[in-house]
Each structure stands twice: as C-alpha cells, then as structure tokens.
Amino acid sequence: MVYRVYVEKKEGQTHEADSLLREIQDFLQIDRLTGLRLLNRYDVEKIESWLTDMAREGWILEKDSDMFGWLAFTQEAPRNLRYRLEPQEEGTGWGDTPDPEIRQICEEYGWEYVDSYGKFYIYRSIRPDAREMNTDLQVQAAAMKAGKRNSTMTLILDFILLGNLFSDFLQMPFRSLAVLGFWFHFIHILALIWVSVDSFLHWRHLQKLQKQLKANVPLNHRKPWRKGATFHLVSKFAYVLVIFLFFGALFGSCSQALELELDAPDTADYPGDPPFVTAGDILPEGKFTSRPSLADYNTYLETGTFFAPKIVEWNEHGEILLPDGSVYDGILRITYYETRYTWLAEGLLDDLYREAEDQRHFSLLPTPDLDVDELICYNNIYPTILIRQGKIVVEACVGLEYQDQYLLEAWAQRMAEMLIRE
C-alpha cells in the first residue's frame, strides 16, 4: 500500500501548505513504508520484478529489513534499480549473509548486497552498466539445486509434523474430540496442511526454475507480478488468522486448565449432588471422612466442550468407617463425561480402554453382571472401572480398600443404579 497526498498550494499560503504536508507525512509516516510481501516467497522472478517497480516508484528496499516476510522501504527519488535473488550456499542458515569475498566481487561488478530473504540473498545493481551477476545458466541451475535441497528438507519436516499430528489424533480421536473439541483439531490440522502445501509449492517452483535453467532458458527478471498478488495477499491474511485462532484456542484451553488446577474448588463445595457415586455414597451405612492431602485430592474440576458439554474430574482421599468398626481407606478418582452423541460415548470408552491397556500394570478383572450398556473392570495399579450408559461415560479408579478388599463391585453396582435412574 502506498499513500499519495496532494496539497494545493494557493498564492500566499506556501508556508502553510508545506507545514501541513510535513504534518501529514509525520502522521502517516509515508517517508517509510513497511508492508507484507505481495508474492510467494519462492517466486524469484516476480519478486525481482516487484522490487524493481517499487524502486521506480521511489520506494527503495532497506538493508537487512526482512522480518518474518515484512519488508521495509524508504521513500526516495525514483531510481532505475535492478534486483536479483541468488540462492544461498548449501549449509547456510536463516539470516546468514553472503561470504565477504563474494560480496566484494559482486560490488566490484556493480551489485550491492541488500538483505537475506528466506533462503535467498537480495542484490541490486548500483551502476546502470552493471552486467548480469550470473551469465552461465548451468551455474545458476546448480545454485538453484542447493536452494531446492533446503526446500526439500523443510517439506519433509512439515510432512513429519503433519503425520505425527494425525497419528496422535487417530490414537484417541474420540477422547480428543470430547476433551479438546472439534475446532481446536480442525484449526491445528488446517494450519499444518497449509504450511505443508506451501512448502510443496516452494519445492516444485524451484524444481521448475532449475529445469528451465538447465534447458538454457534464462529467468524472466521482469515477469509481470501483479497477476495473483491480490489472491496471495488475501490468502496470507487468512493464514495469519488461522494461526491466531489456533494459538488463541490453545492459550484459552491451557489458561483455563491452569486456572482451574491452581484454584480447584473443594468437593464439599460442589453445587448440588454430583451426577455420579462419590466415596460417601458407596456404602450408605458407613461414614466417609475426607483426609487433607497435599495433592489435588478432595477437589474437582468441571469443564465442557461442544461434543462433551459436561466433564467432571473428581478426586477424593479419605476413609469410610462402617458400624462394625472396619475402615476402608484410600482414594477415589472419577472422570465423568456427558457427551452429546451416543456414538461419541461408545468411541470414548474404547479410547479410554485402549489407553489403559497399554499401561504396564494392566490386567482385566472379573466384571459383574450389571444392567448397563457397557462395563469393563481392570487393574491399573488400582482397580478401575469403565462404564457407559447411553451418552454418559464414567472412568473411576476405586482405591478404597480394607485388608486388600476393594469396593470396586459395590461402587459399580451403585453407579449402574444411578445411571439407569438418570
């Protein structure tokens, strides 16, 4: 974007007009333009043509100005400058400058180093009679090969990250949907696909340029660049929006979880009755007494997503005193999922079971015959139960014991009765 300001200088008002013009320039800072590149970072020919046209309009690229794709231009008198993008040597990193000896040779031939732009160096001619930097097309093709190799490594890394994301999601897709929500994963996957496609287009374009040079067809340094520039700019802003949405969702989820964990309310302060059986409900004839703990016991966290409007993590630590004087002592950890759809609850139970099955101490336990849709009992350090009734899934670690006898079956029976009533 270029600002143009016209100020009419009437007779006798020259000083006022000049003053107004300076104020407008100071306000808009039009003596210095910072803008997002309008072209793909790998379209060498169009970028060279664009920079040349900017110089002819009086916008001169500043030295060392590239910052995450933003370029800075200083407004000067229009100049006929030629710009060239040269691939970096193999082994150089982002932001590296050319070898001092190479820079000196280029300056002797009338070419000045300006900036490092991605995996390219930007030079410009400082003399109108400066000959082309590279007259041997085969040498240019070899240099382009190094740039393509760098692009290949980036492309491979992008595909590895994308593959890992899909792999992690496919391992527990239903739990991911329930806990993190659909849009979080959708935006994450969309952003990685976008980056991977961009890397692939980068690699393919450099490959075409390399083949073109090998066929002794020189680059078009004045290639029309305006065609497609608007589409690229719109897509770039859309990509930035996707990235902001992803990190916004990630930050929101993490900050909410951290806030809840740091200030988790006490189980005694839960509003109303929990929608599941707690330690005090397992044996009605006994009396439960919570025990203070330095961990997160005797607290709860309640969250929710679109697919699982209600998720409650419940942790208790204490003892149940029976009338005969016997005491059940230990912990009760419950995660309660109230999902929106039955198919999601079914998949969620399968995900939770597969996760438990991969643990070192996993072993199946006898499952009582209860009137619920699904029930699985297993041992994973402590006896644990997975139970599903309709759209509700409950995972409970029942570590309340008395002389190596756990309350697993009693808890399952009570929980089944409660869910059926619901």
Side-chain angles (χ1 to χ4, degrees), residues 15 35 40 43 48 68-69 84 91 97 105 110 120 127 134 147 149 157 240 243 268 307 316 320 330 340 394:
H15 176 75
N40 285 312
D43 203 331
E48 291 177 345
F68 303 111
R84 296 293 180 263
T97 58
I105 294 174
F120 289 90
R127 296 203 312 256
N134 284 314
R149 187 177 294 112
L157 179 61
V240 172
I243 295 298
F307 285 102
E316 288 187 293
I320 301 176
R340 195 174 290 273
V394 181

Side-chain angles (χ1 to χ4, degrees), residues 175 312 314 332-337 348-349 351-353 355-356 378 380 384-388 392-398 411 415:
R175 184 183 179 186
V312 182
W314 187 273
L332 178 65
R333 282 187 175 270
I334 299 174
T335 306
Y336 172 90
Y337 302 90
L348 174 60
L349 185 135
D351 283 354
L352 294 173
Y353 176 70
E355 181 184 39
Y378 57 88
N380 189 13
T384 305
I385 184 171
L386 273 176
I387 187 169
R388 182 186 70 82
I392 296 175
V393 175
V394 181
E395 179 185 35
C397 174
V398 188
W411 188 92
M415 186 64 197

Side-chain angles (χ1 to χ4, degrees), residues 122-405:
I122 301 179
Y123 290 86
R124 65 182 169 215
S125 62
I126 55 178
R127 296 203 312 256
D129 60 341
R131 68 174 182 84
E132 285 294 332
M133 296 186 64
N134 284 314
T135 56
D136 190 333
L137 299 184
Q138 299 306 314
V139 173
Q140 281 187 277
M144 200 65 70
K145 182 180 179 181
K148 192 183 74 172
R149 187 177 294 112
N150 290 328
S151 177
T152 301
M153 297 303 297
T154 303
L155 180 61
I156 293 174
L157 179 61
D158 289 339
F159 278 122
I160 290 175
L161 292 175
L162 187 61
N164 287 337
L165 174 63
F166 274 111
S167 176
D168 293 340
F169 177 75
L170 292 177
Q171 283 182 0
M172 301 190 71
F174 298 98
R175 184 183 179 186
S176 296
L177 286 177
V179 175
L180 295 177
F182 169 77
W183 288 109
F184 178 85
H185 290 285
F186 176 77
I187 294 173
H188 193 180
I189 292 173
L190 179 62
L192 275 181
I193 290 177
W194 205 316
V195 171
S196 300
V197 170
D198 184 68
S199 297
F200 173 74
L201 293 176
H202 187 177
W203 175 85
R204 190 180 69 171
H205 188 81
L206 293 181
Q207 185 183 44
K208 287 183 178 180
L209 291 182
Q210 184 187 10
K211 288 183 178 180
Q212 176 181 330
L213 293 169
K214 283 184 176 180
N216 290 320
V217 178
L219 300 181
N220 182 7
H221 302 295
R222 294 298 293 143
K223 185 176 182 180
W225 58 269
R226 287 180 173 83
K227 183 179 179 181
T230 302
F231 173 79
H232 172 74
L233 188 61
V234 171
S235 65
K236 199 69 181 177
F237 275 110
Y239 172 70
V240 172
L241 178 61
V242 168
I243 295 298
F244 269 106
L245 288 175
F246 168 71
F247 281 103
L250 180 63
F251 177 77
S253 299
C254 293
S255 61
Q256 181 186 28
L258 181 61
E259 182 181 356
L260 289 173
E261 288 183 8
L262 292 176
D263 192 24
D266 194 277
T267 52
D269 298 329
Y270 188 85
D273 295 325
F276 44 80
V277 179
T278 64
D281 302 321
I282 296 179
L283 298 176
E285 67 277 13
K287 180 182 180 181
F288 175 75
T289 304
S290 63
R291 180 178 301 164
S293 174
L294 296 178
D296 59 348
Y297 292 109
N298 303 314
T299 62
Y300 74 93
L301 299 176
E302 184 168 342
T303 57
T305 64
F306 172 80
F307 285 102
K310 190 171 188 176
I311 302 175
V312 182
E313 296 181 48
W314 187 273
N315 304 289
E316 288 187 293
H317 181 209
E319 61 182 24
I320 301 176
L321 176 62
L322 298 179
D324 61 2
S326 57
V327 176
Y328 282 89
D329 178 77
I331 65 170
L332 178 65
R333 282 187 175 270
I334 299 174
T335 306
Y336 172 90
Y337 302 90
E338 189 175 299
T339 67
R340 195 174 290 273
Y341 306 105
T342 302
W343 59 264
L344 179 59
E346 294 172 349
L348 174 60
L349 185 135
D350 291 338
D351 283 354
L352 294 173
Y353 176 70
R354 284 200 307 272
E355 181 184 39
E357 199 175 17
D358 291 337
Q359 302 303 313
R360 178 182 177 184
H361 301 284
F362 175 85
S363 63
L364 283 172
L365 295 175
T367 302
D369 185 17
L370 301 176
D371 189 18
V372 290
D373 292 333
E374 292 183 82
L375 177 65
I376 304 173
C377 296
Y378 57 88
N379 190 61
N380 189 13
I381 300 181
Y382 288 109
T384 305
I385 184 171
L386 273 176
I387 187 169
R388 182 186 70 82
Q389 179 65 23
K391 303 175 185 178
I392 296 175
V393 175
V394 181
E395 179 185 35
C397 174
V398 188
L400 295 166
E401 64 173 332
Y402 169 65
Q403 296 181 353
D404 296 329
Q405 294 184 0

